[in-house]
């Protein structure tokens, strides 16, 4: 039936294309688009039908993208203003996908309005039945990735965070300073091969000469901004609905206890309105891309071009050294490992060799992801292991699992948890024990 093809299948062509690869379940976009399509197909006007098919197409695409990246509907709409920040030339996959969607939309506008009216109750019932059948087919096709897309926490889910598990608070931090590093797309591997790559970057042997090392996992829901509120405010929430004015989050607690609080992000301050809500969290200083470049951080490419993450640890070290007797809380949200990780000269990912040649060839995106993790960990270790690095406890934690589309890659991660590594200053711990004895 023409209605089914032009009004239901074609607007959801992106979801269908992902069926063999392993995308998320698209039941909600299909249902919304299908109901709107039945309504618009009731009209005789060709122009109304054209408007309707464009609306169905755009809504289905945006909702599917939101589900894919664990964003809620409001966040995906507000994110549209940042499309100019994307360098799509760094991702051939995105360029191809957009090209296919534009072609499909053009065909839908040309041929969709020719669909006969759904004027009778029986015709609308048949249309509704096809929408339901299509939802069932989508559910069967995406069964393998069900449960790996976690947009929001179910009601009543207890909060779980690395900061909470490690009981980090102004009164419990014995070191002079606390550094919290939220690493973009740092997932918990669930197979021995990838675990070895993870340990090569983040293993305890890198830090144990100076720090007491502990490791664990915490649950995650949603995207990076959800992870920021999970760790800094101990809530499952999104920045667009969270009551910042009525909160007293971790940075404000440390500020009130006499710590100087600083937030660092390698991208622009207007991205997800961080310029507005970081001060409300209690951060006295905020360093974003312009400030980091002024401090001689290099510029790195990628889909989101910003400051080079490996340059930031040295800047943190310099900031702590210059702070004298002032205690500090420094929070750093990384950037460069945001998926998809392209072959990029500035990121030095054009020739990835983190494992054996066959694995590097078979999993190029995964290879580049682990390559950036290793470089980030190398830069952190190089700085924090220096003899003159100021005394600090350091928490490193992932925001969410890498949002790979192929089920073959998603299945290589714990889909419900992210890893954390806690480094506690041995000198501070010893001083604390001496005081108690």
């Amino acid at each position: 039936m023409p209605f089914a093809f032009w009004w239901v299948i074609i607007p959801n062509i992106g979801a269908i294309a992902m069926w063999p690869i392993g995308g998320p379940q698209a039941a909600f976009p299909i249902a919304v688009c299908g109901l709107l399509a039945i309504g618009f197909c009731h009209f005789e006007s060709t122009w109304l039908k054209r408007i309707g098919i464009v609306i169905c197409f755009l809504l289905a695409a945006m909702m599917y993208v939101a589900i894919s990246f664990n964003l809620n509907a409001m966040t995906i709409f507000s994110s549209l203003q940042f499309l100019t920040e994307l360098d799509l030339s760094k991702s051939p996959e995105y360029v191809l996908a957009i090209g296919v969607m534009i072609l499909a939309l053009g065909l839908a506008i040309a041929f969709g309005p020719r669909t006969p009216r759904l004027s009778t109750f029986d015709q609308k019932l048949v249309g509704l039945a096809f929408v339901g059948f299509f939802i069932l087919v989508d559910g069967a096709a995406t069964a393998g990735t069900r449960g790996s897309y976690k947009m929001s926490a179910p009601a009543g889910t207890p909060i779980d965070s690395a900061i909470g598990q490690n009981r980090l608070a102004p009164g419990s931090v014995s070191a002079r300073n606390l550094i919290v590093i939220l690493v973009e797309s740092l997932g918990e591997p669930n197979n021995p091969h990838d675990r070895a790559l993870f340990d090569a970057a983040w293993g305890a042997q890198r830090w144990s000469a100076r720090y007491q090392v502990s490791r664990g996992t915490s649950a995650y829901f949603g995207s990076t901004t959800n992870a920021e509120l999970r760790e800094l405010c101990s809530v499952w929430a999104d920045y667009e609905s969270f009551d910042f004015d009525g909160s007293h989050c971790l940075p404000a607690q440390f500020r009130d206890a006499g710590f100087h609080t600083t937030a660092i992000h390698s991208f622009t301050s207007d991205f997800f309105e961080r310029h507005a809500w970081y001060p409300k969290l209690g951060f006295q200083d905020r360093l974003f891309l312009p400030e980091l470049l002024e401090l001689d951080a290099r510029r790195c490419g990628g889909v989101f071009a910003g400051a080079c993450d490996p340059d930031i640890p040295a800047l943190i070290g310099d900031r702590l050294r210059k702070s004298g007797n002032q205690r500090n809380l420094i929070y750093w949200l990384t950037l460069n490992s945001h998926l998809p990780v392209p072959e990029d000269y500035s990121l030095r990912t054009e020739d990835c060799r983190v494992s054996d040649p066959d694995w590097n060839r078979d999993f190029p995106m995964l290879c580049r992801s682990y390559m950036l993790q290793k470089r980030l960990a190398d830069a952190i270790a190089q700085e924090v292991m220096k003899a003159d690095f100021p005394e600090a406890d350091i928490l490193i934690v992932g925001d969410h699992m890498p949002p790979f589309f192929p089920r073959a890659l998603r299945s290589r991660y714990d889909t419900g948890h992210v890893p954390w590594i806690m480094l506690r200053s041995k000198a501070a711990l010893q001083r604390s024990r001496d005081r108690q004895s």
Side-chain angles (χ1 to χ4, degrees):
M1 112 186 247
F3 166 81
F5 183 77
W6 291 113
W7 288 85
V8 183
I9 293 177
I10 289 298
N12 290 284
I13 194 67
I16 296 171
M18 291 300 298
W19 284 351
I21 300 171
Q25 190 173 22
F28 185 67
I30 293 170
V32 171
C33 182
L35 291 174
L36 286 174
I38 291 172
F40 278 108
C41 276
H42 177 76
F43 297 113
E44 291 184 352
S45 169
T46 298
W47 279 106
L48 279 176
K49 287 184 177 181
R50 284 177 179 158
I51 292 171
I53 207 161
V54 170
I55 290 173
C56 288
F57 202 100
L58 295 181
L59 277 178
M62 285 192 293
M63 285 188 288
Y64 189 78
V65 170
I67 295 169
S68 298
F69 290 96
N70 294 324
L71 300 169
N72 63 38
M74 293 305 298
T75 301
I76 194 65
F77 277 115
S78 64
S79 301
L80 293 176
Q81 61 183 302
F82 303 117
L83 287 178
T84 56
E85 307 273 9
L86 283 166
D87 185 357
L88 293 177
S89 67
K90 299 295 185 180
S91 176
E93 300 91 341
Y94 281 6
V95 173
L96 177 61
I98 291 172
V100 170
M101 296 295 282
I102 290 174
L103 176 62
L105 176 58
L107 291 172
I109 292 172
F111 295 100
R114 303 179 188 180
T115 302
R117 287 182 63 204
L118 299 183
S119 55
T120 68
F121 176 78
D122 289 345
Q123 289 172 335
K124 293 174 183 176
L125 192 61
V126 171
L128 190 61
F130 180 81
V131 172
F133 173 74
F134 190 36
I135 289 173
L136 292 176
V137 173
D138 175 77
T142 59
T145 55
R146 192 170 300 156
S148 68
Y149 292 88
K150 298 180 177 295
M151 187 179 300
S152 59
T157 303
I159 186 65
D160 183 21
S161 70
I163 283 179
Q165 289 185 36
N166 287 283
R167 296 180 173 85
L168 297 180
S172 66
V173 175
S174 55
R176 293 289 305 167
N177 305 288
L178 174 64
I179 303 170
V180 177
I181 305 173
L182 189 65
V183 180
E184 171 64 44
S185 299
L186 181 64
E188 175 72 7
N190 64 7
N191 65 87
H193 181 277
D194 294 11
R195 169 56 63 179
L197 297 177
F198 183 91
D199 288 343
W202 305 105
Q205 73 281 356
R206 308 204 67 178
W207 329 93
S208 56
R210 192 173 184 190
Y211 300 93
Q212 178 182 288
V213 184
S214 57
R215 287 168 47 168
T217 63
S218 60
Y220 80 91
F221 294 92
S223 62
T224 301
T225 54
N226 299 93
E228 293 186 88
L229 294 181
R230 178 193 78 215
E231 295 298 333
L232 298 177
C233 298
S234 296
V235 293
W236 301 124
D238 189 86
Y239 80 95
E240 291 187 310
S241 58
F242 183 62
D243 180 14
F244 290 100
D245 294 325
S247 67
H248 194 232
C249 295
L250 194 79
Q253 296 170 27
F254 274 80
R255 179 201 61 203
D256 294 348
F259 287 70
H260 190 81
T261 58
T262 302
I264 301 173
H265 182 37
S266 304
F267 201 51
T268 57
S269 64
D270 58 343
F271 196 54
F272 293 118
E273 300 178 2
R274 290 185 172 95
H275 66 279
W277 51 276
Y278 271 17
K280 294 181 179 181
L281 288 176
F283 288 119
Q284 294 160 297
D285 291 340
R286 283 85 59 190
L287 304 179
F288 293 99
L289 176 59
E291 293 80 16
L292 296 174
L293 294 179
E294 288 180 3
L295 293 171
D296 294 328
R298 294 167 298 163
R299 184 185 290 271
C300 275
V303 176
F304 289 99
C308 296
D309 286 336
D311 292 346
I312 307 304
L315 299 181
I316 292 175
D318 289 344
R319 192 174 186 85
L320 291 180
R321 291 183 186 95
K322 293 174 181 177
S323 66
N325 293 324
Q326 174 67 60
R327 300 184 76 183
N328 294 272
L329 165 67
I330 294 184
Y331 165 71
W332 171 29
L333 171 63
T334 73
L335 173 69
N336 300 159
S337 50
H338 196 291
L339 294 189
V341 179
E343 294 184 40
D344 186 274
Y345 178 79
S346 65
L347 292 172
R348 294 163 46 216
T349 53
E350 66 275 13
D351 184 21
C352 187
R353 303 179 185 180
V354 301
S355 186
D356 62 85
D358 290 341
W359 189 92
N360 295 337
R361 183 190 63 248
D362 293 341
F363 301 102
M365 185 73 72
L366 194 60
C367 181
R368 294 193 289 269
S369 178
Y370 278 114
M371 175 182 280
L372 290 186
Q373 282 188 41
K374 181 66 164 55
R375 289 198 184 129
L376 175 64
D378 287 348
I380 296 171
Q382 181 179 356
E383 183 64 27
V384 306
M385 297 301 290
K386 289 179 178 177
D388 69 337
F389 185 78
E391 184 184 271
D393 288 344
I394 305 164
L395 174 65
I396 302 165
V397 58
D399 55 356
H400 50 72
M401 68 164 279
F404 290 112
F405 286 118
R407 65 172 61 89
L409 297 185
R410 295 186 76 88
S411 64
R412 301 179 78 92
Y413 289 92
D414 180 337
T415 58
H417 299 84
V418 289
W420 55 258
I421 304 99
M422 184 71 217
L423 311 178
R424 295 189 187 271
S425 167
K426 287 184 176 181
L429 290 173
Q430 184 60 51
R431 189 174 62 250
S432 179
R433 286 192 289 265
D434 291 343
R435 283 199 302 263
Q436 295 173 5
S437 60

